[in-house]
Amino acid sequence: MTTASLTQKTWPSPDVVFDLAEVRKNAPLTHVLTNIVVTNWTANVLLAAGASPAMVIAEEEVSDFAAIAGGVLINVGTINSFDAKAIKAAAIAAQKAGTPWVLDPVAVGALRYRTEIAKDLLQYKPTVIRGNASEILALAGAVGGGKGVDSTAASSDAVPLAKELAISTGAIVAISGEVDYITDGKETIAVPGGHILMTKVTGVGCSLGALIASFLGVQKDSLRAAVSASAVFAIAGSRAAERSSGTGSFAVAFLDELSTISA
């Protein structure tokens, strides 16, 4: 695969600018079922971008809430038997209501339990599947997995199987890495940018899945929504790194950039 064969999107592409403005204008209600490590960070990321996060996780509530949200994120990062029931209920409700939802298969391939749960969730038709290269490869059926939550493969390595996964599931597949690749199985769009510091702050990758869910709440073209969220994320990370002295200042700067970015 060569970059010449790809469409490339970066900030400030007009459609990306427009989609971010729509998020800020409409503050889409985003239902977030994510792992315990990143809950607070994810909520702050969505608030900074202009969305309205709701961390509703009770099994008794998730079905009702998934049906009224603009978008749903399901992240299996710290999955347990209680979470599994709530997550499945939310996925079923989102599919039934037509609510777009994002599956983040954290560390799938490395551990059997979460891998089985993530693969089972595919039957409820996620709108977008977002993960690193190792996670996407594992979900697509490749042998092996990443190093815990970290990828042992480059994002470009996963593109061929990501296309197959997109076609077989009907989902947009978004691969995060040094360059993000987003595909519907036919068209693949590359989103360059970001910074290595984004891999050194807990929850940055997970919060991208949530931001994609927010963009799905205002942009019905799911490929475009995933690309726009990724492009906004990349430029915020790049700009934050320029004025940071380490991971702590980067985290604050990243939120600042998300909240102030404009064309």
Side-chain angles (χ1 to χ4, degrees):
M1 184 188 66
T2 62
T3 55
S5 66
L6 300 171
T7 304
Q8 189 175 100
K9 283 288 178 72
T10 58
W11 181 270
S13 296
D15 51 354
V16 178
V17 174
F18 178 85
D19 291 343
L20 177 59
E22 286 296 291
V23 169
R24 290 173 169 169
K25 175 183 176 181
N26 294 285
L29 183 62
T30 308
H31 185 186
V32 178
L33 296 94
T34 193
N35 68 76
I36 60 174
V37 180
V38 306
T39 301
N40 182 68
W41 170 263
T42 302
N44 283 333
V45 164
L46 295 190
L47 288 170
S52 178
M55 277 48 188
V56 177
I57 59 174
E59 183 183 355
E60 297 81 0
E61 296 181 329
V62 292
S63 295
D64 291 340
F65 205 84
I68 64 172
V72 178
L73 168 70
I74 292 178
N75 176 304
V76 301
T78 54
I79 192 75
N80 57 49
S81 57
F82 298 103
D83 294 337
K85 294 178 182 179
I87 280 172
K88 186 171 183 176
I92 292 171
Q95 182 190 28
K96 184 177 180 180
T99 304
W101 69 279
V102 178
L103 172 62
D104 194 331
V106 178
V108 160
L111 295 165
R112 179 185 58 82
Y113 179 63
R114 71 184 56 234
T115 301
E116 291 176 352
I117 289 172
K119 288 186 175 181
D120 179 64
L121 288 170
L122 294 178
Q123 68 180 298
Y124 305 114
K125 300 298 181 182
T127 310
V128 176
I129 302 168
R130 188 225 71 90
N132 64 38
S134 290
E135 292 160 352
I136 296 302
L137 288 169
L139 198 60
V143 177
K147 181 182 177 183
V149 299
D150 298 322
S151 180
T152 55
S155 55
S156 58
D157 296 338
V159 171
L161 279 180
K163 291 180 179 180
E164 294 181 13
L165 182 62
I167 291 170
S168 66
T169 62
I172 302 302
V173 178
I175 316 162
S176 297
E178 185 174 351
V179 176
D180 292 349
Y181 295 97
I182 300 98
T183 184
D184 62 2
K186 296 179 180 179
E187 182 180 6
T188 302
I189 300 174
V191 179
H195 194 274
I196 189 63
L197 280 173
M198 298 173 78
T199 68
K200 305 299 182 182
V201 175
T202 300
V204 170
C206 293
S207 59
L208 174 55
L211 190 64
I212 291 173
S214 293
F215 273 68
L216 287 169
V218 298
Q219 175 51 253
K220 301 307 179 185
D221 182 332
S222 51
L223 177 63
R224 173 170 160 172
V227 169
S228 291
S230 298
V232 168
F233 228 64
I235 189 62
S238 178
R239 290 180 177 178
E242 291 177 358
R243 59 188 187 91
S244 302
S245 58
T247 55
S249 56
F250 173 81
V252 174
F254 183 72
L255 294 176
D256 285 345
E257 291 296 337
L258 278 177
S259 66
T260 60
I261 186 173
S262 69

